[in-house]
């Protein structure tokens, strides 16, 4: 039976299911308990599961992420919520130097089955220090898996395979999506390996992830009205990248625009484009293009913030430039 | 800081245990002396941080723990791994970068890991082991295991945010962590009084509401007795406890250190209360040991070191393919 739920509710259902299914699972982070979660994702879970398993932490990202690693090493299956990606910089050391390295550096003796969730992205006028998109940075690091659920289905079902993974998994929830609603079937398990084609097309491949997915789909809709057939690929998994799906869609459309809310230089978009050039260079009819955030701190003023971020109009303009048409 | 008077009190143990403490201190000392020699010969590379002078701390403390306890250490951890039960050959092979090493040669001197003795590293980021220890203790508390997590770190770590955040978390949640601070007076070349406004480390820990102990870390008996008492309290569910072991490193910070920051006189003064010769003298005074027995023991340790070197020399190199396959746990996502 299909029902309509929000991205936030989907995340909560995923958490609740994990807590019910496995007594080793606990959720810890700032204000996950009494406050109900900064984005209200964990609202109600404290009453159901108690303060040991829905564990409020002090504002100590370094220590509670590191403690998540220790708890995972010690036999629990912790889900650590870092309020936003902006604050995850305070926990970079445990994520990069401990969680990602321990399995390899210990000669395969220790695994860190840890899930870290955090909100990411801009678009809500919360200014430069609260508007980062650093998931592309994290995707640079071997040893961790990077997920970016953009759909209600992924929000609902990505947590289970993430918790089943014996190694660290980081889940980036775009802050602009929490209120988004969609129809969801009863049981729609997902993998955490592959990209998903959200719209098929033949003239241009639009490759994106996270909060930019809906802007990209909106652009594709408008392009269709002008007779341009745009395919849209949701990467979903930022590490490891689904190179096969990226290359296949490139071959199908022969033109590509990558849409990424991160800053352009050294971005995830740059990595996607590199793979396209490495694997499908001779099948391209035009150089791959990208739409990223402008390289300035994200401003507070609404019109400036909108101007800095990828928008449907910018995506359409990039496609038109590739095709040599004008509106 | 002026060196303390040489430890001289009675040794309150039976002969077997008294000699076990001496044997382990000697094993650590001789293994590390050989490591330094092999470093000079180019057989061991990278960073090598010696524990020489501090042996009483690891030996006295670890013999106060139980076999199923967790251990988290720093990059100066050869002693902890060895005393905990890792074969000397596995440590030496690791320093050689051989796949027969405890971490398959991927970690080297600073990253000794051992699943069987619950040694969770070997962490070379100062302070980074503390939050991990807090998490291990959280798991034990929630899974109702009666384990203690012993977390070793130097006094340099108290300047890190990780120290303060971890102290707070462990005390707030009353977790079974034994914080073992090896105060050897210098964070690389920076003396404690040049880096801390409050040099009383126990005062820092006390401010988080946890009990503290300060011990002469040159006296293996004092270390052992204090740690026995401390681990019992932690195991009984009283929450975390902080022990400061006052000790001194006789050698340079690493093999790249010219030791410009301290005087030769200071080092010589501390060597007078060196943990091995003072303890040996006490054992002799109590007629638990004579010179002949000491020499026999030392020869036995030298033979162990020699065979560890032979093992490491004869070791093999891991293949490139197997190294690449281990970025993720097998059975997890394939890359």
């Amino acid at each position: 039976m299909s029902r309509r739920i929000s991205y936030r509710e989907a995340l909560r259902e995923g958490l609740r299911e994990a807590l019910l299914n496995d007594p080793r699972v606990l959720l810890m982070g700032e204000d996950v308990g009494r406050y109900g979660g900064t984005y209200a994702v964990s609202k109600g879970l404290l009453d159901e599961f108690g303060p040991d398993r829905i564990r409020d932490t002090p504002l100590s990202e370094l220590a509670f992420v590191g403690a998540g690693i220790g708890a995972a090493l010690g036999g629990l299956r912790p889900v650590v919520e870092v309020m936003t990606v902006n604050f995850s910089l305070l926990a970079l050391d445990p994520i990069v130097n401990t969680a990602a390295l321990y399995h390899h550096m210990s000669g395969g003796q220790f695994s860190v089955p840890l899930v870290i969730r955090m909100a990411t992205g801009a678009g809500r006028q919360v200014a430069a220090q609260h508007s980062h998109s650093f998931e592309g940075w994290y995707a640079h690091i071997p040893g961790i898996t990077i997920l970016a659920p953009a759909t209600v289905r992924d929000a609902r079902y990505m947590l289970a395979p993430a918790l089943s993974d014996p190694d660290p998994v980081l889940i980036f929830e775009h802050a602009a999506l929490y209120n988004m609603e969609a129809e969801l079937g009863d049981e729609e398990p997902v993998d955490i390996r592959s990209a998903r084609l959200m719209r098929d097309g033949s003239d241009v491949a639009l490759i994106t992830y996270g909060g930019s997915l809906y802007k990209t789909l909106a652009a594709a809709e408008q392009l269709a009205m002008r007779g341009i057939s745009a395919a849209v690929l949701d990467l979903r998994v930022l590490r490891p990248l689904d190179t096969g799906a990226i290359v296949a869609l490139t071959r199908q459309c022969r033109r590509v625009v990558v849409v990424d809310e991160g800053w352009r230089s050294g971005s995830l978009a740059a990595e996607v484009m590199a793979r396209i050039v490495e694997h499908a260079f001779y099948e391209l009819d035009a150089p791959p293009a990208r739409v990223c955030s402008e390289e300035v701190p994200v401003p507070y003023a609404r019109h400036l913030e909108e101007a800095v971020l990828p928008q449907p109009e910018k995506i359409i303009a990039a496609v038109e430039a590739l095709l040599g048409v004008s509106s | 800081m002026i060196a303390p008077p040489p430890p001289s009190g009675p040794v309150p143990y039976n002969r077997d245990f008294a000699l076990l403490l001496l044997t382990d201190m000697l094993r650590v000392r001789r293994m590390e002396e050989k490591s330094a020699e092999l470093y000079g010969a180019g057989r061991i590379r990278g960073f090598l941080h010696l524990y020489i002078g501090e042996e009483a701390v690891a030996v006295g403390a670890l013999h106060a723990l139980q076999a199923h306890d967790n251990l988290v250490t720093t990059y100066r951890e050869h002693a902890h791994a060895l005393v905990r039960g890792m074969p000397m050959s596995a440590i030496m092979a690791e320093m050689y970068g051989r796949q027969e090493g405890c971490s398959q040669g991927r970690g080297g001197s600073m990253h000794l890991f051992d699943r069987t003795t619950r040694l969770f590293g070997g962490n070379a980021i100062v302070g980074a082991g503390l939050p991990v220890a807090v998490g291990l203790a959280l798991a034990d508390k929630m899974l109702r295991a009666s384990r203690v997590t012993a977390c070793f770190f130097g006094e340099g770590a108290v300047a890190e945010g990780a120290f303060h955040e971890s102290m707070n978390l462990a005390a707030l949640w009353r977790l079974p962590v034994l914080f073992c601070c090896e105060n050897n007076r210098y964070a690389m070349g920076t003396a404690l009084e040049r880096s801390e406004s409050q040099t009383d480390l126990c005062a820092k820990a006390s401010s988080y509401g946890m009990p503290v102990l300060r011990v002469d870390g040159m006296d293996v008996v004092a270390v052992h007795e204090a740690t026995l008492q401390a681990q019992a309290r932690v195991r009984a569910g009283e929450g975390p406890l902080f022990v400061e072991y006052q000790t001194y490193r006789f050698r340079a910070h690493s093999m790249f250190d010219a030791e410009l920051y301290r005087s030769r006189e200071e080092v010589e003064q501390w060597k007078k209360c060196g943990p091995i010769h003072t303890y040996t003298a006490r054992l002799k005074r109590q007629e638990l040991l004579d010179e002949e027995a000491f020499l026999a023991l030392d020869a036995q340790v030298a033979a162990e070191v020699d065979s560890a070197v032979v093992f490491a020399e004869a070791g093999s190199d891991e293949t490139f393919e197997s190294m690449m396959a281990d970025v993720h746990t097998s059975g997890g996502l394939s890359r």
Side-chain angles (χ1 to χ4, degrees), chain B residues 222-277:
Chain B
V223 168
H224 184 67
E225 292 302 309
T227 312
L228 268 180
Q229 184 195 337
Q231 62 87 35
R233 293 180 64 176
V234 173
R235 205 179 305 279
E238 288 185 31
L241 195 147
F242 175 91
V243 189
E244 176 191 350
Y245 302 99
Q246 296 196 319
T247 185
Y248 199 80
R249 134 172 89 63
F250 294 169
R251 296 290 186 102
H253 165 75
S254 74
M255 306 310 276
F256 301 113
D257 168 12
E259 292 190 78
L260 303 174
Y261 50 85
R262 62 183 186 183
S263 69
R264 189 175 293 267
E265 292 70 36
E266 181 184 296
V267 180
E268 290 309 314
Q269 195 192 11
W270 273 87
K271 282 185 177 172
K272 287 180 188 153
C273 57
I276 298 179
H277 74 82

Side-chain angles (χ1 to χ4, degrees), chain B residues 152-163:
Chain B
F152 285 79
F153 53 94
E155 89 291 345
V158 307
E160 296 282 1
F163 170 83

Side-chain angles (χ1 to χ4, degrees), chain A residues 23-26 28 52-53 55-76 90 93 97-98 100 102-112 142-145 165-168 192-193 239-240, chain B residues 72 94 102-104 106-107 111 113-116 118-123 125 128-129 131-140 142-144 147 161-162 165-166 168-169 172-173 175 322-324 326-335:
Chain A
R24 298 171 305 171
V25 171
L26 74 155
M28 62 178 180
D52 277 355
R53 297 182 71 200
R55 188 172 283 265
D56 280 321
T57 66
L59 280 68
S60 304
E61 286 82 0
L62 169 52
F64 71 73
V65 171
I69 294 167
L73 286 165
L76 297 177
L90 294 164
D93 181 67
N97 260 324
T98 307
Y102 255 38
H103 182 67
H104 193 267
M105 196 166 74
S106 68
Q109 292 184 81
F110 292 110
S111 299
V112 183
I144 54 180
T145 294
D165 195 293
D167 299 313
I192 52 170
R193 295 176 171 214
R239 185 183 187 94
Chain B
V72 177
E94 186 61 33
C102 60
S103 307
Q104 285 184 237
R106 296 177 188 160
H111 302 301
F113 287 85
D114 188 14
R115 197 184 168 86
T116 55
R118 302 189 71 82
L119 168 56
F120 292 89
N123 199 318
I125 305 297
V132 174
V134 168
L136 284 164
L138 174 63
D140 288 333
M142 290 186 66
L143 298 170
R144 310 214 185 293
R147 258 195 285 272
E165 293 187 16
S166 300
N168 180 53
L169 217 48
L172 181 72
W173 292 344
L175 300 178
S322 102
M323 180 203 64
M324 289 304 292
D326 228 359
V327 176
H328 287 266
T329 306
S330 59
L333 287 182
S334 62
R335 291 298 181 275

Side-chain angles (χ1 to χ4, degrees), chain A residues 98 102 105 110, chain B residues 51 57-58 61-62 65 70-84 86 108-114 117-133 136 149-154 157 178 180 182:
Chain A
T98 307
Y102 255 38
M105 196 166 74
F110 292 110
Chain B
Y51 198 65
V57 178
L62 292 177
L65 297 180
N70 295 322
L71 181 58
V72 177
T73 60
T74 71
Y75 51 86
R76 197 182 301 283
E77 89 290 33
H78 308 148
H80 309 77
L82 186 70
V83 176
R84 195 68 182 151
M86 188 186 286
S109 159
M110 300 188 289
H111 302 301
L112 305 178
F113 287 85
D114 188 14
T117 59
R118 302 189 71 82
L119 168 56
F120 292 89
N123 199 318
I125 305 297
V126 171
L130 283 92
V132 174
L136 284 164
T149 296
C151 179
F152 285 79
F153 53 94
L178 184 58
C180 301
E182 301 172 313

